[in-house]
């Protein structure tokens, strides 16, 4: 995995159930038609908003996805399902990032039910140190967190980073946030992250239920 895309969006009034059903069906289409979409997740937050997070081997894989059947179907239905429609409700919210490091789900792992996305802004002059911390974390997750199925560290630009991870269930998420990587980030957050642990990490956590997934 080298590239990732995150798209948050909201359902039109009273269309939340229909949008959730659309995304669930979309996962099947991704699995059938997009070999270069390595992982694809349809997400729903507790506030009722939605999102898609996906991963690709290269920029060509991302381009194939946005020219594919799922993107075309979402575009065709966005005026009726998505608040602000395709251009302002979907395309305007696209965030692309490079994958720094990752831990993939094992071939025999359970399905993921929960996901978390954390946006991190590096303190001035500390981007390289934060990048090194995040890059090295994948191997620790691999060794110590069996209920963290997918873990990825991401780079959005020179000073902006993120973590996206999926879990077996709520207990997996809890184990992650009491684990070694979270502890290391907490200790170093004041020096590395704008806002420190409380305002720079915890306030930027977005938790999701996974509606559907496709991939390896």
């Amino acid at each position: 995995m080298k590239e990732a895309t995150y798209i948050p969006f909201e359902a039109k009034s009273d269309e939340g159930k229909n949008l959730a059903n659309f995304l669930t069906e979309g996962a099947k289409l991704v699995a059938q038609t997009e070999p270069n979409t390595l992982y694809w997740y349809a997400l729903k937050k507790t506030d009722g908003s939605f999102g898609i997070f996906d991963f690709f081997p290269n920029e060509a894989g991302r381009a194939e996805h946005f020219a594919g059947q799922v993107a075309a179907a979402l575009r065709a239905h966005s005026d009726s399902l998505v608040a602000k429609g395709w251009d302002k409700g979907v395309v305007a919210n696209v965030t692309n990032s490079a994958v720094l490091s990752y831990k993939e789900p094992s071939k025999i792992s359970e399905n993921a039910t929960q996901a978390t996305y954390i946006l991190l802004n590096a303190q001035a002059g500390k981007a390289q140190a934060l990048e090194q911390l995040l890059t090295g974390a994948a191997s620790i997750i691999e060794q110590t967190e069996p209920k963290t199925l997918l873990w990825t560290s991401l780079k959005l630009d020179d000073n902006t980073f993120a973590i996206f991870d999926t879990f077996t269930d709520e207990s997996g998420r809890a184990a992650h946030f009491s684990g070694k990587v979270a502890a290391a980030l907490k200790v170093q957050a004041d020096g590395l992250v704008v806002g420190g642990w409380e305002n720079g990490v915890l306030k930027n956590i977005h938790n999701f239920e996974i509606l559907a997934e496709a991939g390896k």
Side-chain angles (χ1 to χ4, degrees):
M1 291 190 294
K2 292 185 178 180
E3 302 291 335
T5 294
Y6 171 49
I7 313 173
F9 46 88
E10 297 182 8
K12 275 197 166 182
S13 180
D14 299 323
E15 291 294 335
K17 184 176 181 180
N18 289 331
L19 182 55
N21 290 338
F22 173 87
L23 293 172
T24 300
E25 291 301 312
K28 300 174 186 177
L29 200 55
V30 169
Q32 294 167 1
T33 64
E34 297 187 17
N36 287 318
T37 299
L38 301 180
Y39 295 99
W40 185 93
Y41 298 95
L43 309 169
K44 184 178 181 181
K45 290 181 73 172
T46 53
D47 65 5
S49 61
F50 294 84
I52 295 172
F53 222 111
D54 34 23
F55 296 87
F56 314 98
N58 47 40
E59 192 63 54
R62 179 188 279 135
E64 288 176 22
H65 172 67
F66 280 100
Q69 294 184 38
V70 173
L74 181 57
R75 182 171 187 171
H77 291 85
S78 58
D79 284 346
S80 60
L81 294 178
V82 179
K84 299 182 181 179
W86 175 253
D87 289 328
K88 294 182 179 180
V90 179
V91 175
N93 296 329
V94 172
T95 298
N96 294 327
S97 56
V99 178
L100 296 174
S101 64
Y102 58 90
K103 178 250 179 184
E104 292 186 88
S106 69
K107 295 299 183 183
I108 58 173
S109 66
E110 304 172 54
N111 289 332
T113 68
Q114 306 294 320
T116 293
Y117 179 59
I118 311 173
L119 200 62
L120 305 168
N121 293 303
Q123 293 271 20
K126 297 296 183 179
Q128 185 175 358
L130 180 57
E131 182 172 338
Q132 289 175 344
L133 174 65
L134 294 174
T135 301
S139 61
I140 300 172
I141 299 291
E142 181 79 51
Q143 297 165 12
T144 62
E145 296 187 17
K147 289 188 173 183
T148 300
L149 300 181
L150 175 75
W151 186 93
T152 63
S153 62
L154 310 168
K155 186 173 184 177
L156 284 69
D157 59 40
D158 288 344
N159 293 293
T160 310
F161 300 86
I163 296 168
F164 177 80
D165 36 19
T166 70
F167 310 98
T168 54
D169 50 29
E170 201 59 60
S171 70
R173 179 186 278 135
H176 172 68
F177 280 100
S178 62
K180 292 183 177 181
V181 169
L185 182 57
K186 184 175 183 178
V187 168
Q188 300 183 58
D190 286 346
L192 296 180
V193 180
V194 174
W197 177 253
E198 293 291 336
N199 294 314
V201 180
L202 295 184
K203 285 191 175 180
N204 288 322
I205 292 175
H206 302 272
N207 290 328
F208 303 92
E209 170 195 356
I210 296 176
L211 298 173
E213 61 180 305
K216 294 183 178 180

